[in-house]
Amino acid sequence: MPSNAGQTAKGDKNTAPPLPAPLRVPVADSHTHLDMQSGTVEEGLAKAASVGVTTVVQVGCDIKGSRWAAETAAAYDSVHAAVALHPNEAPRIVHGDPDGWSRRGARQPGGDAALDEALAEIDRLAGLPQVKGVGETGLDHFRTGPEGKAAQERSFRAHIEIAKRHGKALVIHDRDAHADVLRVLKEEGAPGRTVFHCYSGDAEMAEICAREGYFMSFAGNVTFKNAQNLRDALAVAPLELVLVETDAPFLTPAPYRGRPNAPYLVPVTVRAMAAVRGIDEDALATALAANTARAFGY
Ligand SMILES: [Zn+2]
Ligand SMILES: [Zn+2]
């Protein structure tokens, strides 16, 4: 109704986008955070399954979130877990975080010993059968300043070792840190299955990933107007290394950018990706489903 169009647009911000048309070939959301989304896990999974998103990888970012991911994956066949200390969490454990203290009460910086203790718990969780990935780990030069770099890189190296020892997929978070992430992977020796979540490199980096056999998981931002570099990367990535994810509640695909994201919106991104590749939606979905199962070994 034109008279309240403005009001509707404003209200839209927090309104869940509508259900897209179902995919004919079911796929997996290779990276989501159900614990940060509204509604129950059951509701989120049912809504996703109703449009052909029948599997999700639930990703933990700290000890509490990683335990929850493992518990949730144990409770639902359609959920697999990945466990880790996020690249921005590791420096917080070592150095503390002034904002974190006021939010969470008496949190104190714990030094290297606290990081080791947290990594030991990630190691334990990584051994569980329903945990298919170690991550998201990696480097984030956007949110973590120079003072946190050493802790972040030490944590990243430890996660690589844990993934290799348990034979699990490594899930990489790489924000403004492409060269350093690739360097550390090379120095440590990447695990057999390595996934760049929310792939953010350009076409040139996609060629490096292709040579190394790294999976590239594309999120809703591949649909953003200003993300031609991501579409260029997607266009050259080998089809057998391409995954799709939501990273929900973040990165809601166009035309719903800014509204809450959830796994049921994967079809919107899949369709945009099929257009970029110039292939049929079903052919892409078939590849995405097989690639995600191969990447995470389920
Ligand atoms: Zn991330
Ligand atoms: Zn994430």
Side-chain angles (χ1 to χ4, degrees):
M1 199 184 268
S3 61
N4 62 9
Q7 200 183 344
T8 306
K10 203 174 167 196
D12 267 0
K13 259 296 185 203
N14 300 315
T15 310
L19 272 178
L23 294 168
R24 286 177 295 267
V25 177
V27 300
D29 179 350
S30 85
H31 187 114
T32 196
H33 302 282
L34 294 168
D35 49 336
M36 303 180 196
Q37 295 161 33
S38 64
T40 67
V41 170
E42 284 84 351
E43 287 163 358
L45 295 175
K47 214 169 158 184
S50 77
V51 293
V53 183
T54 49
T55 306
V56 308
V57 179
Q58 166 64 27
V59 179
C61 293
D62 56 16
I63 292 294
K64 192 167 158 248
S66 294
R67 285 181 182 146
W68 189 84
E71 281 162 23
T72 306
Y76 300 92
D77 288 342
S78 57
V79 180
H80 304 293
V83 297
L85 310 173
H86 191 281
N88 295 323
E89 174 69 7
R92 250 175 245 145
I93 293 171
V94 175
H95 302 290
D97 165 14
D99 297 334
W101 299 344
S102 54
R103 274 203 313 273
R104 284 169 239 142
R107 185 163 185 175
Q108 296 296 327
D112 284 347
L115 180 56
D116 286 339
E117 201 179 307
L119 287 166
E121 176 63 0
I122 296 300
D123 189 355
R124 184 188 73 79
L125 293 168
L128 298 171
Q130 74 275 27
V131 174
K132 304 295 186 193
V134 174
E136 54 187 292
T137 181
L139 301 174
D140 187 324
H141 293 171
F142 180 78
R143 292 230 180 271
T144 293
E147 72 290 343
K149 263 191 177 177
Q152 193 171 80
E153 190 167 316
R154 187 160 88 78
S155 176
F156 182 25
R157 289 181 192 274
H159 282 83
I160 295 172
E161 189 275 326
I162 290 169
K164 286 201 284 194
R165 186 157 34 79
H166 291 285
K168 303 291 166 94
L170 182 72
V171 178
I172 303 275
H173 169 104
D174 160 24
R175 188 145 186 208
D176 295 352
H178 306 321
D180 284 336
V181 166
L182 292 170
R183 171 181 56 81
V184 173
L185 281 173
K186 196 143 227 153
E187 286 170 7
E188 293 295 321
R193 293 170 286 125
T194 296
V195 178
F196 276 74
H197 117 75
C198 189
Y199 180 81
S200 60
D202 58 10
E204 200 183 326
M205 180 167 157
E207 275 159 20
I208 297 173
C209 290
R211 262 202 311 279
E212 302 293 337
Y214 301 153
F215 291 91
M216 290 163 264
S217 182
F218 289 84
N221 53 346
V222 75
T223 68
F224 295 175
K225 236 181 222 151
N226 62 356
Q228 189 55 43
N229 61 323
L230 296 182
R231 288 185 286 278
D232 293 345
L234 172 60
V236 301
L239 184 59
E240 66 272 17
L241 294 178
V242 174
L243 309 183
V244 67
E245 66 172 72
T246 56
D247 201 17
F250 314 108
L251 298 173
T252 315
Y256 308 115
R257 190 175 178 179
R259 290 166 65 177
N261 199 8
Y264 77 90
L265 290 170
V266 159
V268 178
T269 304
V270 169
R271 285 176 185 129
M273 289 169 68
V276 169
R277 303 274 316 193
I279 61 172
D280 169 75
E281 173 188 318
D282 294 354
L284 177 61
T286 302
L288 293 169
N291 296 347
T292 316
R294 212 167 69 252
F296 288 94
Y298 59 79

